[in-house]
């Protein structure tokens, strides 16, 4: 189904009074627009020699993450009960990848049921990889692929897993409604604190600083909690449907959330009840929000801060955080946009849809500069540190790494 902005469709609607004629006109215009987009995409399409396909997984690939320090390493997590660590051989696709390390999440085939690797993240020093799986177990591995910690406490699938910056705590959010801060600084990983404030599954978690974090839930709330505090510091209850994601801005002062209620909200720690911004322009569920790595507290402090929202309505919207206005609508996808990722400089944004369409956009101009169409749905897109590659992982069991040169 083509997604078009209301503004584009309004004149069509007015022109034709009969519903039937209107429908035919719509279908025709959608087909024409689709053809125009396809033609336009062909000009920006990644050439075969710019694409490296990683195809060792035997089920859908849910997650991919580049190592922040050992920047040739890419970790992927799959429904085949494994994660893999891939090493890129050179600076581009043509150089290929070396043998991957298999991080098996079950001893044998029967043991691999319900061990889909649903989330993973590298520690900030690049030495450790945390994986969370459907069996409720969090695991910590070295970058060489050795298992360091097996963390048992959750009673249901882990949906989100995050390292604090210091690297001593790992935070997990689970279907069992709880969030856990694990202390992984010692020989044994132990539960530092378990938080049971949500009344439905905890869908996402994100650290504000080394001791404070946010969580969101199917229960429609966003909580801010701190290690050592038994009660939440804040409870934000503005959403009217499940909250899919929470993310702190680079300065750790603003918290963004997005929901099935079609809205994204930005919360300020100083005011408890009302959001600072309430973004209501999307026409369907918003699955993910990402802050640009710009503004106070980021690596690009002189560039303006910005928030991206990606929706099942097929659009990605970029928001000005100073005044709450929508800067740009990136409307090219024809299906739900499931993942977005800003490049390290904040100059580019990658987006991936459930139709296997990847776009790379130049943020300031709001124009796409690269496109790639793969098989199956794209679950996640990720930039490498050097801003020369985008990884996209697919429901068709593969990961495609696309070269990006300005």
């Amino acid at each position: 189904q083509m997604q078009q902005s209301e503004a584009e469709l309004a004149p069509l609607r007015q022109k034709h009074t009969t519903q039937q004629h209107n429908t035919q006109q719509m279908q025709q215009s959608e087909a024409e627009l689709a053809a125009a987009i396809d033609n336009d995409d062909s000009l920006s399409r990644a050439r075969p020699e710019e694409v490296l396909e990683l195809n060792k997984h035997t089920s859908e690939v849910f997650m991919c993450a580049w190592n922040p320090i050992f920047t040739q390493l890419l970790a992927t997590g799959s429904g085949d009960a494994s994660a893999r660590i891939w090493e890129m051989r050179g600076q581009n696709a043509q150089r290929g990848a070396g043998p991957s390390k298999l991080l098996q999440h079950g001893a044998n085939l029967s043991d691999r049921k319900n061990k889909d690797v649903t989330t993973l993240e590298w520690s900030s020093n690049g030495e450790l990889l945390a994986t969370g799986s459907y069996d409720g177990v969090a695991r910590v591995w070295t970058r060489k692929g050795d298992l360091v910690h097996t963390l048992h406490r959750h009673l249901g699938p882990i949906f989100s897993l995050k390292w604090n910056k210091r690297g001593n705590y790992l935070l997990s959010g689970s279907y069992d409604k709880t969030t856990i801060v694990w202390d992984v600084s010692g020989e044994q990983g132990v539960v530092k604190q378990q938080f049971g404030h949500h009344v439905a599954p905890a869908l996402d978690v994100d650290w504000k600083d080394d001791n404070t974090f946010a969580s969101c839930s199917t229960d429609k709330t966003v909580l801010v909690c701190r290690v050592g505090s038994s009660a939440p510091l804040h409870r934000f209850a503005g959403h009217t449907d499940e909250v899919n994601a929470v993310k702190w801005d680079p300065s750790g002062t603003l918290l963004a959330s997005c929901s099935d209620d079609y809205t994204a909200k930005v919360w300020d720690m100083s005011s408890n009840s009302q959001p600072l911004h309430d973004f209501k322009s999307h026409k369907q569920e918003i699955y993910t929000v990402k802050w640009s790595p710009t503004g106070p507290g980021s690596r690009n402090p002189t560039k303006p801060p910005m928030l991206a929202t990606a929706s099942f309505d097929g659009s990605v919207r970029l928001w000005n955080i100073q005044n709450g206005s929508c800067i740009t609508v990136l409307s090219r996808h024809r299906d739900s946009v499931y993942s977005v990722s800003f490049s390290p400089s904040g100059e580019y944004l990658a987006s991936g849809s459930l139709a296997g369409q990847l776009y790379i956009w130049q943020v300031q101009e709001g124009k796409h500069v690269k496109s790639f169409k793969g098989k199956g749905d794209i679950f996640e897109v990720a930039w490498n540190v050097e801003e020369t590659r985008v990884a996209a992982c697919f429901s068709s069991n593969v990961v495609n790494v696309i070269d990006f040169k300005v």
Side-chain angles (χ1 to χ4, degrees), residues 204-218:
D204 195 23
V205 291
D206 197 42
W207 288 102
K208 171 180 166 71
D209 55 45
D210 280 332
N211 295 288
T212 315
F213 67 90
S215 60
C216 65
S217 164
T218 310

Side-chain angles (χ1 to χ4, degrees), residues 312-371:
F312 286 8
D313 68 13
S315 73
V316 176
R317 285 175 176 266
L318 303 178
W319 305 90
N320 175 318
I321 292 308
Q322 269 101 0
N323 64 16
S325 65
C326 182
I327 304 164
T328 321
V329 185
L330 307 175
S331 53
R332 208 175 174 79
H333 287 289
R334 291 172 226 172
D335 295 84
S336 299
V337 182
Y338 216 69
S339 176
V340 288
S341 175
F342 279 99
S343 70
S345 68
E347 297 286 322
Y348 299 95
L349 178 85
S351 62
S353 82
L354 291 188
Q357 182 68 56
L358 169 86
Y359 287 119
I360 299 175
W361 311 81
Q362 207 280 346
V363 170
Q364 288 318 112
E365 289 165 29
K367 291 199 166 42
H368 83 288
V369 290
K370 195 120 191 154
S371 64

Side-chain angles (χ1 to χ4, degrees), residues 130-244:
T131 61
S133 77
Y134 220 76
D135 62 359
V137 180
R139 295 169 174 86
V140 178
W141 316 74
T142 67
R143 65 184 165 95
K144 304 283 187 205
D146 301 317
L147 184 60
V148 187
H149 298 299
T150 308
L151 307 172
H152 294 270
R153 178 64 65 93
H154 281 300
L155 303 174
I158 294 175
F159 291 139
S160 184
L161 203 52
K162 300 282 172 70
W163 292 95
N164 68 352
K165 201 165 170 62
R166 203 177 128 195
N168 60 323
Y169 291 156
L170 188 60
L171 169 64
S172 55
S174 166
Y175 181 80
D176 70 10
K177 309 176 191 172
T178 73
T179 55
I180 295 177
V181 172
W182 306 85
D183 187 338
V184 289
S185 59
E187 201 69 1
Q188 294 289 309
V190 294
V191 174
K192 175 75 178 171
Q193 192 171 346
Q194 185 165 19
F195 300 81
H197 308 303
H198 285 296
V199 296
L203 298 180
D204 195 23
V205 291
D206 197 42
W207 288 102
K208 171 180 166 71
D209 55 45
D210 280 332
N211 295 288
T212 315
F213 67 90
S215 60
C216 65
S217 164
T218 310
D219 69 12
K220 309 175 190 173
T221 69
V222 173
L223 299 178
V224 180
C225 297
R226 180 174 291 153
V227 175
S229 298
S230 56
L233 308 184
H234 293 277
R235 183 172 179 274
F236 298 119
H239 284 292
T240 57
D241 207 336
E242 40 193 89
V243 186
N244 294 315

